[in-house]
Amino acid sequence: MSIEMRNLSKTFNKKERALSSIDFTLRKGEVVGLVGPNGAGKTTLMKIFIWMKSFIPLEWNRTYQRK
């Protein structure tokens, strides 16, 4: 299972572009790092990902054990 985002962009105030055409794939169980210079959009990308987490299937958020 994976989460894919394609052509993700974010603009503030209709003119200030924080992210431009970002593509990435996250696979279940994968450990990743997000690095870049100040002002590169790392925090903006994480805020979008956290917002999108509410749309991710529940099995990504919790581990269930059978009784």
Side-chain angles (χ1 to χ4, degrees):
M1 183 182 290
S2 64
I3 297 171
E4 295 184 5
M5 291 190 186
R6 300 286 175 242
N7 200 29
L8 177 68
S9 297
K10 171 66 178 168
T11 304
F12 294 103
N13 302 324
K14 297 184 180 180
K15 57 186 171 185
E16 188 177 340
R17 185 158 284 208
L19 301 172
S20 181
S21 301
I22 303 294
D23 294 335
F24 67 90
T25 301
L26 299 173
R27 291 174 185 82
K28 187 174 181 179
E30 195 172 48
V31 177
V32 297
L34 183 60
V35 296
N38 291 344
K42 300 177 300 290
T43 301
T44 301
L45 180 61
M46 291 306 298
K47 286 180 179 180
I48 291 170
F49 183 74
I50 290 167
W51 173 79
M52 291 186 68
K53 187 178 180 218
S54 63
F55 302 103
I56 297 171
L58 196 56
E59 60 268 13
W60 266 67
N61 297 325
R62 295 189 181 100
T63 301
Y64 290 98
Q65 295 180 2
R66 290 188 166 191
K67 294 181 180 182

